[in-house]
Structures are given as C-alpha cells and as structure tokens.
C-alpha cells in the first residue's frame, strides 16, 4: 500500500556516472517528475523534454509558490566551477544501491544457533547426554548472556564523608542566616539588607547545584560481551545501525579541513561499514563545503583501509600526524613505516587541495558559482535555495583502494525560503532526522559538531553496550559522552575544559535519571526523539514483529497479548491519538473487532501525519523500532521523499520542534530536548571511556570564551521565560525530583548575575565609606563564619577526590564562575528579556585588534567587546577601594586596622577571582609578567600615600617659628 502511494505522482531519477543534486519541487498528478541536476548524463527514466539540468522556474510546498530565477537561453552563461578540471565522475551517484535487509534478517533468524535442552531419564530437570557438555562454544555463550555494562558506585570511604559534610554545611548555613538576620547593622542598614538578600540567593543556588550530586556513579562497559552477543563468527553482524549527523553552517568560521577530519574519523570508525551512515548538514548551502566533501570522499578511499589495517588512534589524520610521539620505537614493522610516510604525503596533498578550495572561494563570481556542466549552483543564494541531497559514498561500485565497502557519506542542505523560521541548528537537526529516516532509518543516531572528531574508534560500541543491553537498554533515550578538547593552554586560564561540570556534576546526574544533553557527542535512540513515552516495564522482544511500540503492530496486523498491571491500566496516554489507537487495539484483543491492518492504518494515518508531516514513508518509519526502510520501494522514491521532508514548509502544523525531534524555542536546544525526553520517563546514561570518545576545539581567548558563555546563558533565559521552564513544566510525568533541581539550576543561573555583581561591588563601597555589612563580630559569630568557610573548602576537596578533578581545574572553575557571572550572564539576561518580552534582538559584536605568534597565539588576541565593561569596572573600583582603605587606616592610626581586615579580605576575594580576566585584558607582556605589573601599580599607590603621611622633611609638631629681629610693622 505504501509502495503504491509513493509511486503515485512521483518519478525515479538517477544517473550513471554524474553527480545529481536533488531539488525540491511541488508534486502533483499533473507533474509527476521532479528535476535533478545530472550534469548532462542521460537518465533512462527522464525524457528528453524533461531533462533535469534546468532548475524549474517555480518551486514550493503546499500552496506557496516561490519564483526562482531562470537564465535567459539567449545569453550564454560563463561557467565558473570551483574545480574546473575535476572529472565529474568522481562526485558519486545521486541514488543509493540498497540491499534487501529484511530477507537477510529473516535468514539470520533461521540460522541462529539454538541450544536444545535434553531431559535425562533419571535426573529430572538436568541436562542429559554429552552434547552440551562437550560444546566448546558454551563458555562464550554464557559470557555473551552477561550484562553489557555495570554501575560502579563511588566507594563509601569517599561518598559518605562527602554526604556528611553536605548535611553539616546545610546546618551551618542555617545558623549563618539566623545570625545574619538577627544582627542587622543599623549604621549601614541598606548595605546589610542588600548583602543578606544576595546571600540568601547564593544559598538557594548552592542547594540547587549541590543535591543533584548526592548519588554520583561511574560506569564500566564490556565490549567483548557485546561482540560475543551480536557478532558471531561466520555470520553477519547483528549490531544495530547508527546514523551519524555532522552539522556545519559557515565554512569561513568552521574551516572545511576541520570538518573533513571529523568526517574521516567517522568513516574510519570501528563498526560494521554497512551499519554506518554519515549525514553532513550544510545549512549555509556553500559550494566550498560541497567540494570539500567530494575531496574528502576521495581521500577516505585511501585513509580508511590504512587506519583499520594498523588500528591506529585517533583516526582524524590532522591530529594523528600532529601527535608528538616516536612511531619508530618498539620495533615497528617496516611496512607500517613505509605506508605511514606515503599516507602522510597523501594527506599533505589533500590539505593543499582543501586550502586551494578555500582560497578560490574567497572570490565569489558576480553571477555565483556554476558546476562543471554550466549549471548554476543551487545554493548561490543562501537565504533562498532548494533542498539538496548528494550521496558521495555508499553506493554500489564505490569501494576503498583495497576493494572493501565504505560507509555512506551523504550531503544534505535543507531548503531555505524568505519568510520562514528555519530554527537554526535545531531545525537542521530535525531535517537530518527525517532525511535519515527515509534513506537509512537506523534505530540510533549520533550527533557531533563539525569540530568534534571521533577520538576513540570504539565509541559507537561503547554506546551500544548501554543501548543494546537486553536488561536495561530499553529505557535509555541517549548516551552522553563528556566533551574533551585539544589546543587549550596548559593552565586552562578560562576553564575551557569545564572539568568540574563533566567529571563531577554529570556523574552526580548519572546516579539519578541521567546526564543532561550537552549538544554534541551524544548517541540517541531514534524513537525517543519521536515523542514516545519510555516503556513502563521490560518486555520480551517479539520474534515475528519489528514494530514500535510493541503494542502497535500495524505492519503485520496482529498484536501480542499485553498483560498489564492495574496501575498501567489506569494510566492514560498523554495524547488522544495514542488513546484511540490503544482503545482500538484493546477491542481487537477482546474479540470485539477483527485485526484489520487497513482499518488501523486509516484510523491513525491522518493523526500520525498531523504529528509527523505529510510523508507516508517517514510516518511508516516511525513505527519501526529496529529501523530499516520500507520494502518494495524504489531507492529513487525514497530519495524523492527525502527531498520533500527537508522542504521549509514541511513542519507547518505538525509537532516538530514542539513534541517531536529537537525542541525549538531556545538557542540552547540541547537542554530543552533532553528535558523533554526525561519528562517522558526516559533515562540517559553517562559514558566515560578510558580513551576520550570525542575531542573538539574550544575558544581560548577571553572575548570568544565570554561570547560562548553568553550564548549558553541566553538560551537558559529563553527557557526560563517559556512554557518549558522546569520550575512549572513536566509535573506528573517521569522526571525525578533531584533531576528537576538540576534543570532548574541550568535555567536559573543567569539570574545569579544580578546578586553577584551587587555582592562584588559591596567591598569597594565598604572600603570607600568606612562601613561594613557585618556588625562587630562576637565569638559565636566567629565560630559560625569559620565553620562555614571550612565546610565550603571541605565540600570542594571531597568533590575533587571522588570526581578525580585537580585543584587547578577546580580553582579555575571557581574563578570563571565569577568572571562569566558578572559579564556574559548579565548581558544574556538583558538580551533575553529584550528578546522574549520586547521582541528586540541585540547582538554584541567582537572586533579583533591584533595577535601574537606562538603555539597558543589565539590566547593573547585582544578583541574588544561590551562584555568586558562590567568586570573591568568591578576590578578598578575594588583596587581603588583597597588603596583608599589602606591609606585611611594609615591616616587614622593603629585602631583602624582591625576593622579594615574584614573589608580587605572581602575585596581581595573579588580581585583574586577576577585575576584571569585581568590577565586576558592586559594581554601578553613580553618583558614583564602581568602579576608584577599589577602588584607594582598597587604597591606604588600605597607607598605614595604612605610617603605623604610620613614625609621626613616635615616636622610632626609643625614648623618652628623663631624671632628674626625685624620690625615688620614699620
């Protein structure tokens, strides 16, 4: 039925050797074909009068008609290809050769090894005979039945003192606030009240951040058991397929060489090649990205067999060849040395080609780029272009240099039209979800940024140890890996590694309902992205049905008996569509209705299309838990359907971005997406392999780092002001309460910037006015204050102990929490309020002023930005306050030094936390270290004031007057 619907009004397009680019067009019974760019190659199903070299004059979706410029045939178009001499045959094909997966799957099911139990004559339930006792495969089979992973709780010697300190700190905090509220400072009541309000906010923020770390755990995977269970010798691999998404937008900001290395690391991953498909989303429709991927696919034919032959790590060539290691030691085989040198030369040539493309792309022709046959590049207008799909690798006949099959590599650029909200990265990811569901439909998805390469070739297997675990895997919606970075200075001045978050906070969340989604390095279960609730209990997999959910077998017209508990029977589904579907299925089970597949399909088809869009192929794919594509459907129909699902109007009046896929409404779509899954009852898993799974690059200069934090904080403000705010959204679902605390903290923290700035200003005010926020301290108050400081230090020390974090990383994190809080978080709060409440979009620009040469030259680049104003102001007024306070104490004598120490400690706390900011502001001092310069200015000011006070040339008793003997009256 689906095949009949697909082939109605749709044509099949492919070519023999060209590089087709699929473009969207309005389909109707009167126009059964859609055009393709075939580079002049004849297509056996496209007539001469319908040749696809010309982009149609009108392209649209639904009732929208979008005019497209049509070149005048009387005016010859000057071809301007980016690579004029390149053979168009190397670009690949526009259709994919598909294998009959279902028949292979059925064959594997029939050939699967079965252990037959023999009941003995005398020993009842024991095994009889010697067949099983003599079977050498039994130990391996027993090992294969074991769990694929396990939890490793933190040792009680570390976690119990930590929890005890948290309770003690909570009690001390109560005593502290009791003292502060009952002992106001009457002479400085305004300062006292302001400080108390700020301290209460800090206390609440600490609770939201601290208690989600109550149950930290670690995990261990067993890759050997995974292989024993799903990769039996002599049989096809039963590991699940994985679709990998790489997102890029602007090649001028995201260098094509970096993207190419990410793609090469994916194509060389240690996983069955027929189970991997790499989709590259080019949201900028840049021909530079397109040509770079073409070169990457050519180099992959040489690179992939080399890295798999010698099992090298990492499998991104730029980082492999840049490793500072002696690859000749330990008696390396001469063949490896020879091939490594040859491969390095090949990679250097590849880099030259990519850099040449980048240089060529700097000068864009007035009429835009053309392809080799003179056809205009469809993406010349970035904001108005049709959708494009190109398969570079994975089609029949394209293998590596050793004749082995390669994973699929597919270029995708979704349609862009003026007047549509394309939802930035979240919209691009949803387009990839739909395209991959139509073309390959793997049950699992991995998304990485274009600058995050696979550093551990077994990363997918690590994730499958959780996803494919028969005992606990069904409730796992995603597996999040920590982010690790290259190219960061040794001291990590601006806390780019974010080790405290990834090694402490995320381990704590893993002990609850799982870590939050951080936007990259995450393996998803596809059905969790479709808005399904997590399974309520474990169910044995069906041997005759491949549907999802298990109770909805629309493809085979049958339903297994579903024994429900009373609690499950009372639990109602969250949407009417599921309710009606369940009701109809229950009638079939009770014998009130016949199991009619056509009736069930007609009942739910319209509702599913309202949820997922007007694509019958995609709707059908959402019901397949184990993935795969519909049978008896031509590849060309699938490709043409893929063009439809990336049209800019496809999501209109659907639940995409609301309940399905990546959620819209915030620039930090990752937090929202993970939050919605957890609200549906799913749990996530945090996986930290010994070798980091992914590595990326991070901005290391001050201005870029502040802008990165600004974007994150702005997304949190948008979520806070939306209906998805975790403070009031998602109750009654499956969200753990401590997990909710973590999500609340993730959207509330930008608001901490207001009390933080006020609190950092108070020391300077106290020093300038001679007042203080605390009255004269008694012995009791001294004990409370000392206990509070000791508990804070003890909490940090114990966290570092069980989290494996060094004191340098912990201290850098504390410093940058203050730096980001008084700069980026404040601007994000202002910008978010203007955007959400006033509809005003504000951008903060960065201007580069200069750079030094060196290994970490970017660290010393000075870029002026508005974000530098608040912390600079705080730094200056606190330094001035210190100078004025010390000079005042010198002038007033010994008695004034006692009260001064409390104010100075308060001010030095601010200055020490802002010190990395001051270093970034001053840049690199070649002749004098920054610390010497700062302290020189400070000490010079103090000594100058002291000199004025104790000038030896002026008498302490005043000038001595003597009679000169002159009569001045005369």
């Amino acid at each position: 039925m689906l095949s009949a619907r697909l082939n109605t009004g749709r044509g099949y397009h492919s070519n023999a050797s060209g590089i087709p680019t699929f473009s969207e067009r309005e389909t109707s019974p009167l126009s059964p074909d859609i055009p393709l760019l075939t580079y002049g190659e004849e297509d056996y199903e496209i007539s001469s009068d319908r040749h696809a070299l010309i982009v149609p004059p009108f392209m649209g979706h639904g009732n929208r008609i979008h005019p497209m410029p049509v070149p005048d045939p009387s005016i010859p178009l000057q071809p301007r290809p980016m690579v004029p001499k390149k053979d168009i045959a190397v670009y690949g094909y526009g259709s994919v050769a598909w294998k009959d997966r279902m028949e292979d799957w059925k064959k594997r099911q029939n050939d699967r090894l079965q252990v037959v139990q023999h009941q003995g004559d005398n020993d009842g339930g024991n095994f009889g005979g010697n067949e099983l006792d003599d079977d050498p495969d039994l130990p391996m089979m027993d090992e294969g039945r074991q769990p694929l992973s396990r939890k490793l709780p933190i040792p009680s010697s570390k976690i119990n003192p930590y929890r005890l300190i948290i309770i003690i700190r909570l009690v001390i905090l109560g005593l502290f606030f009791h003292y502060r509220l009952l002992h106001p400072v009457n002479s400085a009541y305004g300062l006292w009240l302001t400080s108390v309000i700020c301290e209460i906010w800090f206390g609440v923020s600490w609770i939201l951040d601290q208690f989600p770390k109550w149950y930290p755990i670690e995990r261990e995977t067993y890759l050997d058991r995974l292989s024993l269970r799903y990769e039996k010798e002599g049989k096809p691999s039963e590991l699940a397929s994985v679709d990998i998404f790489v997102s890029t937008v602007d090649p001028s900001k995201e260098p094509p060489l970096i993207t190419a290395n990410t793609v090469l690391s994916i194509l060389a991953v240690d996983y069955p090649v027929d189970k991997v498909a790499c989709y590259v989303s080019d949201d900028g429709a840049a021909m530079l990205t397109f040509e770079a991927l073409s070169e990457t696919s050519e180099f992959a034919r040489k690179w992939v067999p080399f890295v798999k032959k010698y099992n090298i790590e990492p499998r991104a060539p730029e980082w492999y060849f840049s490793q500072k290691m002696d690859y000749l030691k330990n008696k390396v085989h001469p063949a490896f040395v020879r091939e490594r040198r040859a491969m390095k030369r090949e990679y250097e040539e590849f880099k030259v080609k990519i850099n040449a493309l980048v240089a060529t792309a700097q000068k864009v022709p007035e009429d835009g780029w053309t392809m080799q046959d003179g056809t205009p590049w469809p993406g010349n207008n970035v904001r108005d272009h049709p959708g494009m799909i190109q398969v570079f690798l994975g089609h029949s006949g394209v293998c590596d240099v050793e004749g082995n099959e390669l994973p699929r590599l597919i270029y995708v650029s979704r349609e862009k039209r003026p007047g549509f909200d394309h939802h930035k990265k979240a919209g691009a990811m949803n387009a990839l979800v739909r395209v991959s569901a139509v073309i390959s439909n793997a049950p699992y998805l991995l998304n990485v940024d274009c600058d995050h390469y696979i550093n551990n070739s077994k990363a997918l297997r690590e994730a499958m140890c959780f996803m494919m675990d028969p005992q606990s895997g069904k409730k796992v919606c995603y597996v999040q890996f920590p982010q690790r970075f290259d190219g960061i200075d040794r001291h990590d001045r601006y806390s780019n590694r974010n080790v405290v978050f990834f090694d402490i906070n995320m381990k704590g969340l893993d002990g609850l309902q799982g870590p939050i989604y951080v936007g990259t390095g995450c393996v998803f279960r596809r059905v969790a992205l479709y808005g399904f609730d997590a399974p309520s209990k474990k169910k044995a997999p069906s041997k005759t049905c491949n549907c999802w959910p298990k109770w909805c077998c629309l493809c085979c017209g049958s339903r297994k008996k579903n024994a429900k508990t009373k609690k499950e029977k009372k639990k109602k589904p969250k949407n009417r569509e599921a309710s009606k579907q369940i009701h109809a299925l229950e009638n079939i089970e009770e014998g009130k209705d016949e199991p009619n597949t056509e009736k069930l399909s007609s009942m739910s088809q319209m509702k599913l299309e309202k949820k997922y869009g007007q694509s019958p192929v995609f709707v059908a794919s959402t019901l397949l838990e184990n993935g795969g594509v519909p049978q008896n459907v031509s590849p060309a129909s699938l490709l043409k359907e893929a063009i439809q699902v990336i049209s800019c109007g496809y999501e209109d009046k659907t639940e995409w971005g609301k309940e399905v896929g990546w959620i819209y409404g915030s620039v930090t779509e990752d937090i929202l997406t993970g939050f919605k899954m957890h609200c549906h009852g799913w749990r996530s898993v945090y996986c930290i392999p010994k070798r980091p799974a992914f590595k990326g690059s991070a901005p290391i200069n001050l201005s870029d780092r502040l802008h990165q934090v600004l974007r994150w904080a702005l997304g949190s403000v948008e979520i806070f002001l939306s209906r998805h705010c975790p403070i009031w959204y998602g109750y009654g679902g499956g969200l753990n309460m401590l997990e909710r605390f973590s999500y609340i903290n993730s959207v509330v923290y930008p608001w901490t910037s207001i009390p933080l700035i006020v609190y950092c200003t108070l020391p300077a005010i106290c020093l300038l006015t001679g007042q203080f926020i605390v009255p004269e301290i008694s012995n009791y108050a001294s004990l409370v204050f000392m206990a509070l400081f000791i508990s804070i230090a003890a909490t940090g020390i114990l966290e570092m102990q069980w989290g494996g974090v060094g004191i340098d990383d912990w201290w850098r994190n504390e410093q940058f929490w203050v730096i980001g809080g008084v700069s980026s978080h404040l601007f994000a709060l202002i910008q978010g309020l203007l955007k959400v409440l006033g509809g005003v979009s504000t951008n903060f620009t960065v201007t580069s002023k200069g750079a030094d040469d060196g290994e970490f030259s970017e660290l010393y680049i000075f870029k002026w930005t508005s974000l530098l104003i608040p912390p600079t102001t705080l730094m200056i007024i606190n330094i001035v306050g210190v100078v004025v306070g010390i000079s005042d104490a010198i002038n007033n004598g010994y008695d004034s030094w006692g009260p001064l120490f409390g104010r100075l400690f308060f001010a030095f706390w601010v200055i020490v936390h802002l010190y990395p900011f001051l270093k970034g502001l001053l840049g690199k001092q070649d002749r004098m270290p920054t610390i010497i310069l700062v302290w020189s200015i400070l000490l010079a000011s103090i000594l100058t004031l002291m000199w004025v006070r104790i000038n030896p040339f002026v008498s302490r008793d005043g000038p001595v007057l003597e009679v000169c003997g002159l009569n001045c009256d005369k």
Side-chain angles (χ1 to χ4, degrees), residues 424-425 449 518-519 666-671 704-718 749-750 824-825 827-828 831 844 867:
K424 298 181 180 180
K425 180 182 177 180
D449 291 339
V518 298
S666 171
V667 294
T668 52
E669 70 289 331
D670 44 8
I671 296 178
D704 290 346
R705 174 67 167 141
L706 290 177
H707 272 264
Q708 183 187 55
V709 176
L710 169 66
R711 187 180 67 84
W712 295 342
L714 175 60
S716 295
V717 174
E718 291 174 337
Y749 76 90
S824 299
H825 298 173
F827 278 78
Q831 187 176 357
F844 301 95
L867 300 176

Side-chain angles (χ1 to χ4, degrees), residues 54 75 119 153 219 252 276 391 432 481 509 518-520 611 629 750-751 773 785 790-791 805 813 836 839 863 920:
I54 301 177
I75 302 176
Q119 183 175 1
R219 295 181 184 270
S252 63
V276 177
V391 180
L432 288 183
F481 292 88
L509 292 177
V518 298
T520 183
K611 181 177 182 179
V629 295
W751 296 85
I773 59 176
F785 281 19
I790 293 174
S791 65
V805 176
N813 181 78
V836 175
K863 300 179 180 180

Side-chain angles (χ1 to χ4, degrees), residues 706 819 822-823 866-876 914 917:
L706 290 177
I819 295 172
V822 299
S823 58
S866 306
L867 300 176
L868 302 176
I869 297 176
T872 304
T873 304
L874 288 174
M875 178 69 72
I876 292 174
L914 292 177
F917 168 81

Side-chain angles (χ1 to χ4, degrees), residues 1-2 96 109 155 424 467 476 689 803 854 883 963:
M1 180 183 65
L2 286 176
V96 182
Q109 296 297 318
K424 298 181 180 180
M467 290 293 195
V476 177
V883 174
V963 178

Side-chain angles (χ1 to χ4, degrees), residues 12 124 133 263 284 322 347 414 437 545 647 649 665 749 760 774 811 885 914:
Y12 174 83
D133 296 337
V263 172
S322 64
Y347 179 64
R414 57 180 174 146
C545 179
S647 61
Y749 76 90
C760 290
V774 179
W811 175 237
L914 292 177

Side-chain angles (χ1 to χ4, degrees), residues 93-237:
Y93 295 86
S95 59
V96 182
W98 296 88
K99 296 181 180 180
D100 194 354
R101 293 187 175 185
M102 185 57 69
E103 294 299 327
D104 292 343
W105 178 80
K106 291 180 179 178
K107 184 178 179 180
R108 290 198 301 269
Q109 296 297 318
N110 295 331
D111 296 340
R112 182 168 294 178
L113 179 63
Q114 297 181 357
V115 178
V116 181
Q117 296 183 354
H118 300 275
Q119 183 175 1
D121 296 334
N122 301 321
D123 51 0
N126 296 330
F127 289 110
N130 296 324
E131 292 185 16
L132 294 178
D133 296 337
D134 298 336
D135 191 349
D137 292 335
L138 277 182
M140 297 180 61
M141 294 175 62
D142 291 338
E143 179 72 14
R145 293 192 184 100
Q146 298 297 318
L148 303 180
S149 65
R150 67 164 180 162
K151 295 180 182 179
L152 297 176
I154 304 299
S156 58
S157 60
K158 296 180 179 180
I159 195 62
N160 288 340
Y162 174 69
R163 291 170 178 168
L164 180 61
I165 286 294
I166 292 175
I167 299 299
I168 294 175
R169 182 175 172 180
L170 193 63
V171 174
I172 295 174
L173 194 63
L175 297 175
F176 172 78
F177 285 125
H178 179 267
Y179 172 81
R180 294 284 282 133
L181 292 172
L182 295 182
H183 294 79
V185 182
N186 296 324
S187 60
Y189 190 82
L191 292 178
W192 169 82
L193 181 62
T194 302
S195 65
V196 169
I197 293 174
C198 294
E199 289 161 359
I200 292 175
W201 180 273
F202 296 150
V204 174
S205 299
W206 171 75
I207 292 174
L208 292 175
D209 177 71
Q210 188 67 67
F211 279 92
K213 296 181 282 189
W214 188 262
Y215 298 104
I217 63 170
E218 295 177 346
R219 295 181 184 270
E220 184 180 44
T221 57
Y222 300 101
L223 300 181
D224 51 346
R225 295 178 183 176
L226 181 75
S227 298
L228 288 174
R229 183 183 291 270
Y230 296 107
E231 293 182 302
K232 297 181 175 63
E233 186 177 357
K235 296 183 179 180
S237 173

